[in-house]
Amino acid sequence: MSGQSLLVPGELSPTRSVPGNIRRPEYVGKPAPTPYTGPEVQTPETIEAMRTAGRIAARAMEEAAKLIAPGVTTDELDRVAHEYMCDHGAYPSTLGYRGFPKSLCTSVNEVICHGIPDSTVLRDGDIVNLDVTAYIGGVHGDNNATYLVGDVDEESRLLVERTREALNRAIKAVRPGRQVNVIGRVIESYAKRFGYGVVRDFTGHGINSAFHSGLIIPHYDSPHATTVMQPGMTFTIEPMLTLGTHEYDMWDDGWTVVTKDRRRTAQFEHTLVVTDTGADILTLP
């Protein structure tokens, strides 16, 4: 295990502005989004719009990731992703979602998810997850990936590599007619080979005109996840694997989720659509 000291909250920079001509999601300025009541299966037009949103989100994440190095703040990563999305006519979906103050999530080391970009400085040997969602054309595209900062220890490097592989295996398991719990079954069985924990309380989700539609995609084998996949259904798969326990604590900010044992965790995510034969990834750069 890395000898790095544990993370502590940093200072937030002022809220970044979005040009007035960029369409906002309906939840901006409200305490919560309006519950989604539409279908999980989307029209070809909606799917193509989501591909556009997904491409922008993927490229924004790539642009921010180019800066990852020891000495860079997570706030600087937020700035780059924010500017990329705005420059391409997209609204950063996380900005103002249930009060979230920034344009992407930066989850470092023991942070499972929803880390808030701030004055925290990345250190040699850290790992950091960037979670970027773009809203354009009335729909969202959501992706994330975990990156190495400088010279990372072998245990952490393997965790990152295997979490990426868990996502790839889960995507290959997507088929129309199967229940969504096959996704979690594939992820959990693979993670158990290495003794990793699989986070249970934060999941993949349906996504379309809604950031979160209400459809839940667990990353463990849940007997309750019996929704049958159909062509045109859109959702995210985003496994979160840990070196230790899957249990967590939450910081006082109400967002930052850390492993209870403070051991490291990694995550990868794509937005996809179920096809007649499998899955088509919508968050490709």
Side-chain angles (χ1 to χ4, degrees):
M1 180 179 174
S2 169
Q4 298 278 44
S5 58
L6 297 179
L7 215 62
V8 295
E11 296 294 320
L12 285 180
S13 65
T15 302
R16 303 189 198 282
S17 63
V18 177
N21 64 317
I22 293 178
R23 179 179 173 184
R24 272 75 169 151
E26 60 83 23
Y27 52 75
V28 174
K30 296 163 54 177
T34 302
Y36 178 73
T37 56
E40 298 297 346
V41 172
Q42 305 304 311
T43 65
E45 293 76 19
T46 298
I47 291 164
E48 286 312 301
M50 290 180 65
R51 196 184 306 278
T52 297
R55 184 180 300 118
I56 291 172
R59 289 176 176 171
M61 185 172 72
E62 280 192 340
E63 287 302 306
K66 289 177 182 177
L67 271 71
I68 291 174
V72 174
T73 65
T74 55
D75 186 67
E76 181 67 2
L77 304 178
D78 180 79
R79 181 191 65 79
V80 171
H82 176 93
E83 291 179 358
Y84 186 92
M85 285 185 273
C86 292
D87 286 348
H88 290 80
Y91 185 92
S93 301
T94 60
L95 184 62
Y97 179 78
R98 297 183 181 272
F100 192 84
K102 292 295 174 182
S103 298
L104 80 165
C105 300
T106 50
S107 300
V108 179
N109 295 345
E110 69 269 22
V111 180
I112 295 171
C113 57
H114 304 158
I116 300 174
D118 58 17
S119 61
T120 296
V121 175
L122 296 176
R123 303 162 298 181
D124 187 57
D126 283 343
I127 60 174
V128 58
N129 178 274
L130 305 185
D131 192 339
V132 182
T133 310
Y135 178 78
I136 188 171
V139 296
H140 301 268
D142 185 4
N143 69 162
N144 78 55
T146 303
Y147 299 89
L148 310 180
V149 185
D151 185 18
V152 175
D153 67 85
E154 180 76 355
E155 184 178 47
S156 299
R157 189 188 63 76
L158 285 173
L159 173 69
V160 171
E161 180 182 299
R162 290 164 176 167
T163 306
R164 182 190 291 110
E165 175 63 15
L167 172 60
N168 292 339
R169 289 177 179 230
I171 291 171
K172 290 176 183 174
V174 171
R175 291 284 188 284
R178 290 179 173 176
Q179 295 181 348
V180 297
N181 59 10
V182 70
I183 294 167
R185 190 175 309 136
V186 166
I187 292 167
E188 186 173 41
S189 63
Y190 179 71
K192 279 185 172 178
R193 287 167 49 181
F194 311 105
Y196 295 154
V198 181
V199 172
R200 302 171 79 88
D201 292 289
F202 301 90
T203 67
H205 53 89
I207 183 170
N208 38 66
S209 60
F211 196 170
H212 301 87
S213 73
L215 174 66
I216 301 299
I217 309 294
H219 303 121
Y220 62 99
D221 187 2
S222 169
H224 307 295
T226 56
T227 300
V228 175
M229 291 182 267
Q230 303 172 59
M233 187 179 286
T234 51
F235 53 81
T236 71
I237 303 176
E238 44 189 301
M240 301 162 227
L241 306 186
T242 68
L243 290 176
T245 182
H246 68 269
E247 296 180 347
Y248 68 93
D249 294 321
M250 187 173 291
W251 283 4
D252 292 342
D253 61 26
W255 284 105
T256 307
V257 180
V258 296
T259 54
K260 189 169 280 291
D261 58 10
R262 304 302 191 266
R263 298 195 72 194
R264 289 187 168 188
T265 174
Q267 181 185 11
F268 284 84
E269 174 187 24
H270 274 306
T271 296
L272 52 88
V273 58
V274 181
T275 67
D276 291 336
T277 57
D280 184 13
I281 298 171
L282 300 178
T283 38
L284 293 175

